[in-house]
Amino acid sequence: MWLILGLLAIAATFINLFMYAIGKDYKLAMAMGLSLTALTLCAEQSLVSNWIKSEDWSALREVPAMNKAFWFLTIVSILLNIAPILLEMKNKK
């Protein structure tokens, strides 16, 4: 599930940037990108929770590597999704 939500978040982010580039209203796509990013993180947390409940210790060994990747990808998602707002603010000055 987290993979599907993550791919949808990436698609929504690119739609956000494309809508800004062509001068259309991008705010819905931005909200969708950020929301799907949050849902991806929730789905991943549920996956880890299920590993703990089932005592799958070998799977839990991968969590530190995934943790770094999710932090990085979340920060990139936030920056890409708010980039149009920052660019608009810069252009207004």
Side-chain angles (χ1 to χ4, degrees), residues 8-64:
L8 290 172
I10 291 168
T13 299
F14 282 117
I15 291 170
N16 171 24
L17 295 171
F18 176 74
M19 297 290 279
Y20 173 75
I22 63 172
K24 301 280 183 170
D25 186 24
Y26 59 86
K27 293 179 181 150
L28 177 62
M30 178 184 62
M32 292 298 297
L34 291 172
S35 298
L36 287 164
T37 298
L39 290 172
T40 301
L41 294 173
C42 290
E44 180 61 26
Q45 179 64 29
S46 294
L47 179 64
V48 172
S49 177
N50 289 336
W51 289 343
I52 292 170
K53 288 178 188 174
S54 65
E55 298 181 3
D56 188 355
W57 307 122
S58 61
L60 286 171
R61 290 183 190 169
E62 300 299 320
V63 172

Side-chain angles (χ1 to χ4, degrees), residues 59-76:
L60 286 171
R61 290 183 190 169
E62 300 299 320
V63 172
M66 291 184 333
N67 184 35
K68 291 174 186 173
F70 276 108
W71 270 104
F72 174 75
L73 293 172
T74 301
I75 291 168
V76 169

